[in-house]
Amino acid sequence: MQADTGTAASLGADIRRWIGGVIGYDRRPAAANATAEFPLMPSRSTAPDHDEDAFPERDVQVGVGLPAVVAIVATSGGPDAVVGALEGLADQEYGNLTVVVMDAGSPDDPTRRIAAVMPDAFVRHVDGGRSFGAVCNEVLGTVEGATFLLFCHDDLRLAPGAVHAMVTEAFRANAGIVGAKIVRAEAPELLDEMGFGVDAFGFAVPVVEAGELDQAQHDAARDVFMVSTAAMLVRADLFADLGGFSPAMSPLGEALDLCWRARVAGAHVAVMPAAVGHHDRTSTLGDPTDADRRCEIRDQGRTVLVAYGAAHLVRVAPLAALLSVLDLVVSTLSGHLGRSLDIVRAWWSNVLHLPTTLATRRRTQRSRRSPDRDIRAAQLRGSGRIVTSYRSLRASTGRRIPDAIAAARGLPASVQRESTAMGVVLAVLLGILFLVGSRGLIGGGVPVVRDFLPTSGATDLLREWWGGWRQGGFVTNSATPNILAVVALCNAVLLGAAGLARTAVLLCGLPLGAWGAWRAGRDVISSRSRVAVTLAYVFVSVPYDAIAGGRWTTLIAYGTAPWVIGALARMSGVEPFPQRRIARQAATLGLVLALGATVGAAVLVMSAAMTLVVAAGLALSRQLVGARRVLRGGAVAVCIGALCSLPTTIGLVGRSDRWSVLWATTSARRPQLAELLRLSTGAGVDTVLWFAVPIVAALVIVVGRGWRLRWGTILWAVAVASWAIALVTYRWWPAGTRPDTGLVLAPAAAALAVAVGLGMESFGADVRGGAFGWRQAAASVVALIAAVAVVPFIQVAADGRWNMIDGDVVAAVQTLGHRGDTSYRTLWLGDSDALPTRSERIVGRLAFAVTRGVRPTLGSVYPAPPTRQSRHLSDEIRSALDGGMARLGERLAASGVRYVVVVTNVSAGEVVDPPPAVRATRAMLIRQLDLQSLDVAPGIDVYQVTNGRASDRSLVASRSAGVGHVLGNLISVIALAAALRTAFGTKADRRGRHDEDADPAEEDHEAEEVSG
Amino acid sequence: MSRRLLVIALLATAVALLGMLDRPDASPTATFVTTGARPEVPGPRATSSTWYCAAGSAGSGVGVSHDVVVVNPTDRNTIATLQFVAARDALAPDTSPDVTTTTSAGAAVQKVTVAARSALVVPVGVARASVLVELDHVGPIVSHRLVADSGFDEALCATNPGTEAHFPTANTDTAKGASSQLWLFNPFAADASVDVAVSSDEGVRTPTALRGLVVAARSAVVVEVGQVVQSRSQFAMSVRVRDGVVVAEQSQLEPGNGTLVLTPGVIQPSTRAAFADGRSGGGVGERYVIYNPGRDDASVLVSVVPFDTDPQSLPEKFDLSVPARRYAILDLQDQRRVPVDRPHWVRLESVNGEGVVVQRVATILDAGSPFGGKAGTATSVGQPAMARHWALPWADRAAESTSVLAVANPSTDTIAKVTVTRIVAGAATRVGKSVELAPGGGADIDLGVAGDQPSGLRVDATSPVVVERRVLAASGGDFAVIAAVASHDDLVELPSMSHTTSAELEGS
């Protein structure tokens, strides 16, 4: 590049012309008229200690022989914001530098202040509310004669010589864009930024880590893929060719987009370490806000769409989409819901703005000078997002609690060690174990058993969820469960892989429970103890019995129970937990409960019961304040969960069969105390080795002291209460109104798992290091017992299906009709615990269910209230059972029923002796004159209605959404959003939360403890 | 006490209390579930009822008339829809279609209205036809009768089909002209396939001809048993259905003895049974054929309880062992312990729980019998349960036929006051005075002649009883014992004989 010194000579006049031509103000840069309205720039005369006459009007100083540089300082922060930047520019010895301040809607006019600092600077007022790039684009076509444009944030102060160094590097490296070494203004020895590498998907990875100590280790000029706009020197002709910054992008997106397009146009991007800028990161215009950060993913996608040629785009775009989906899943599962929303928003926005993006793409591709393979060579290999995530995991070494406070609370030193890495290792290990244990279900699909219902397409699910028109059974408009929306979302995320989505949703209770167990001891016990809690929770029988039995509500209760325990303990504020405001904890717990309640509202009742027991335990241990806090927080959480689960929760209250709907399917098998003590329902692998976890959990009672003993006692109280409820309900509650044993055992399992962690903590704090005594002996014995806890787990996992059945009844009867044929109904009869869908009771345990076609639907996880039709059908069946009807088929045909299926067992092909009521039903059906028995599978009696064609006008019904239902859905969405905001909030909220959440009284108390 | 010990003690106490809760429940009260082994009126939730009358003839069919009797003891009219399904000979070459007739032939369907509190006799116009009777509400009962020149019998139509049907006694002694026909009626939508096993003194076999008999949907077949089991005066039969269900009934004709017997198949063996009507000696023969269709031997106690006898002086029970798939015969005429001068009722119990089927065969041996006739044979399969309310048909062919109602009170501790009401021509008329039956007691109530109008009987008792009606033909040439029907919800299990034994011991 050749410096255009001739042009430089007339630069000042050009700028004057531009300023005056555009805004019509006085063309003088001096302040002859500044005393009037300060229209253009302040005069030094405005400064009280300067004499106006001492600074006569003069032309802009331009150097001779130097390429002309115009520094564009965009500001919107008012007079004080820009001072530092101007002072830095004023310190430059570069002889051909012109400064233009773009004032984009500052609250106070900065002209006077600018004149005071840099009388030669030009000021241009432009409309506010625009991005940094949009403001800087004002120079396009108006500044003539400049060789370079130097874009600066108003909070960046360039060190002397920076401009010169950047210009030199631009010539030396023949770079189109040159950045500076950005250090922190408050600590210049710490690096802030020195350019970015970018991967194939537009993800920018900084060359230096933020806060890295500057030891000249990066002080070599180098090519980078992009530099930020904090100090960006751009060749003026290049900037003009590129059309400036792309408007409506985030600051980082603007830089990425410009640098990438510059590379497409054949220019290099370099960073010059000799050019140092002190960055305050307080610019309201140039530095990204939280809102800007949320747009970064969108901007990355948009840039990828714009910058790649067609051939590369075809290869990169699918990969980018896949990574985006993966990112969404991981972010959601890891609780970074904000990022998940950003990803969804990015997709939405880019699809919406596709025409604009394509127009920009056409312009960019026309300017192409450099092939994509050269650009790809300059990019990072692999995924920058994954690499950065991995780095952040490894690099996060921050302490969670100040040492003094931790010491005052008596927390072990190990709690101070960051446990993220250990958590990741544990997560990977458990993930592998779960995948291995579920391999048969993942590969072959989860059978349709009890609550494990089949799903349908995302559109159908969403339509049913939103409108409330039930697709299965009798057509009725009633509250539909939010799980429909959840599964639909999973379907969409997994690109329509409905089977995989179903498997993932059905089994999510397993990892959710492990995650909850891991988090339950956060901040108060060591990482090793947290691992022990997690493993103890994984090594109990409850979830595998639930999977084997197809009891989804129990599995989801297992998933939520440790979250409840952890949240209640945290909300109590009882040692060792600090007293914080409970809103966030309650909101977080409420969200978890809402997630659980999408499957079964029973988790709300379970949480309420756990709240009562924990509060009672605290009260008995004279922690009345803590008990009150637990009651308050637990109640709020349950309310949030209930609100987020509208309209099903309110619908549940008003229906007569609320208890049977609430508890879902329950086993008729009476639990034995020995089974309960080993946390087993007896449904799956039943072995005495399941006793290992409860025995290990007793260690805290035997050897624990202080707060460990107190919490250990409370946790054991939760377990004992669970066992008592299981026994009492089966002894005295009527069938159909009592919870399943597994559901009741879930809190006990969670409590005992946490007790295991406390026992391990007690071993470290109360036993280890002491003289050998009974405590050591007990701990040794318990350690041996703990080792065998893994054995039954391995036994269950080795099956590959968690002992779930192979063939289900629904699959066995699929041959009856074409898949998707819903022009008829199927009547299912049998024991309520054996039917492959939720059912209505007829008499005793005999129940019936009606499905459209032969497949149940997911919506029946929350069955519609009994309708006139279903009651009539129930009466007809009762009548037939009483021996009074020989033409049941005729009555069934009137309700659209074509097939009658009598189920004696959840598994097809397995013949069992049915209960008396089912035997009576079979006998009743076989004597019907208009039902023809079909030979389908052993253990399943199928009858076809022979008397007339199944017809029912209600098979075709209105599909308009019910107002009440939609209102309920809206309320639930609003409640969900409010809870999400309370629980997670924005980053700014989170930054300030620590201070806000802390209870002042508690802090005083902690301070006293520390000083003491 | 340290805090730790307190916690451990509390937890141990809690677990101990839970252990108390964990104790198994007390023995659950046995609930009697009727199996529909005998005809019964559907429960109150039923809206209609269906009756199956399988046997449509006897012998060659010549001179045999078939009538269906509908008794409506309720207060509303009932519409009865009768479908007549002509039967084909199962052992004859199959030249006719399986499905003979139902709704396709207008004449095969007949609707009649039976007025409230009245009875109606509907002659079956289709020869050798099984009849399906559908009633539009619950309460009326249906029986059918076959009348031949030489005898007659009437039996309740079945209310339940089954996958099994057992017949303790059959006779194909051609020397006496005996003819035994097995009627298999399948009015249902699916074909049925059946095997018929024959148990005789020589063993159990399933004749090839009776193996895999197909009873097509909505059809009836009749098996001339004598063609397969020839010249045997006593054997038992079991019908076992491979697929589907059937209604089975046996018609037995012995022209030489002036005997026609209808025996509905017992679809489920029971462990207890009671026969209200009994008499042995004095010209009346009485024998019990106890058939054990199960796979294990049955140990059966038979107790003969004379009417108005002191419980302390009851005849000693008969203790019988019935081998699996075999039958045992108890002929009371040979037993001295049975009083001959008094009527009695009989109860049986399989004490080892193996279900049996019992058929009583009563025979008038000479003209001076207490039953009043000259000859004849009547059978009954007894009642496996008792009830407080019973209904019976009383629509005999001849107006001069005389009937006796036998009522027994199987209870060990409750007196039963029995009232009999005749339902006829829209009116309910009380028959005689109420009869009070002591625990274990029984009584014969003379009903007199039948009269011209068909009627029904309603028997109401203050505690559960068992009831049978014995009817003697006007000619005195044959007689029949007709069972009663109770409501499904009213039936209760017969008391165990061990209870009775205890009472006897206490009394002694």
Side-chain angles (χ1 to χ4, degrees), chain B residues 4 24 26 65 90 93 121 131 136 176 201 203 266 274 304 338 366 379 397 405 415-416 421 471 498:
Chain B
R4 185 189 318 283
S65 64
V121 177
V131 184
D136 68 346
K176 297 180 181 176
D201 296 339
V266 177
V304 178
V338 179
D366 57 51
T379 68
R397 167 66 71 89
L405 190 71
I415 296 172
T421 307
V471 55
S498 60

Side-chain angles (χ1 to χ4, degrees), chain B residues 355-387:
Chain B
V356 295
V357 181
V358 186
Q359 186 169 6
R360 188 189 64 165
V361 181
T363 309
I364 297 177
L365 301 173
D366 57 51
S369 75
F371 288 172
K374 297 175 292 186
T377 299
T379 68
S380 165
V381 291
Q383 286 289 353
M386 55 186 185

Side-chain angles (χ1 to χ4, degrees), chain A residues 452-533:
Chain A
F452 285 4
L453 295 160
T455 59
S456 47
T459 312
D460 290 341
L461 290 171
L462 279 179
R463 189 184 299 130
E464 185 173 351
W465 170 70
W466 184 254
W469 281 105
R470 298 302 190 118
Q471 299 301 307
F474 293 113
V475 175
T476 175
N477 188 272
S478 62
T480 45
N482 292 337
I483 191 65
L484 299 180
V486 173
V487 175
L489 185 64
C490 284
N491 271 356
V493 168
L494 294 177
L495 305 176
L500 184 61
R502 176 173 175 263
T503 304
V505 173
L506 288 179
L507 301 183
C508 71
L510 213 53
L512 182 66
W515 184 19
W518 169 253
R519 285 178 61 94
R522 197 172 48 143
D523 294 346
V524 292
I525 59 175
S526 67
S527 300
R528 280 179 303 175
S529 299
R530 292 175 69 186
V531 170
V533 172

Side-chain angles (χ1 to χ4, degrees), chain B residues 86-108:
Chain B
R88 69 173 176 84
D89 190 346
L91 303 181
D94 188 6
T95 55
S96 59
D98 289 344
V99 180
T100 306
T101 174
T102 51
T103 55
S104 58

Side-chain angles (χ1 to χ4, degrees), chain A residues 62 118 140-141 230 339 386 395 528 559 578 648 650 656 703 732 806 816 834 842 844 970 972:
Chain A
V62 295
M118 189 177 230
L140 281 171
R339 182 168 178 85
I386 295 174
R528 280 179 303 175
T648 52
I650 196 75
S656 58
V703 302
W732 285 299
D806 276 332
L816 292 177
I842 302 173
L970 284 176
S972 76

Side-chain angles (χ1 to χ4, degrees), chain A residues 670 672-673 701-704 710 713 724 727 731-732 775 879 882-884 886-887 926-929 931 946, chain B residues 3-4 8 18-19 21-23 25 42-43 45-50 52 83 132 134 160-161 187-188 218 245:
Chain A
R670 184 171 173 270
Q672 307 294 314
L673 180 59
I701 302 294
V702 177
V703 302
R710 177 194 299 131
T713 307
L727 288 174
R731 196 172 183 87
W732 285 299
R775 284 192 174 85
S879 172
D882 269 8
R887 296 191 184 275
I926 210 166
R927 65 173 181 252
Q928 298 305 311
L929 300 168
L931 291 180
T946 61
Chain B
R3 187 177 156 197
R4 185 189 318 283
I8 291 172
L18 292 178
L21 281 178
D22 190 43
R23 285 184 308 179
D25 295 329
R45 286 185 293 266
T47 54
S48 61
S49 63
T50 308
Y52 311 93
Q83 289 191 21
L132 171 70
E134 295 175 79
N160 288 304
F188 308 102
R218 302 187 181 93
V245 285

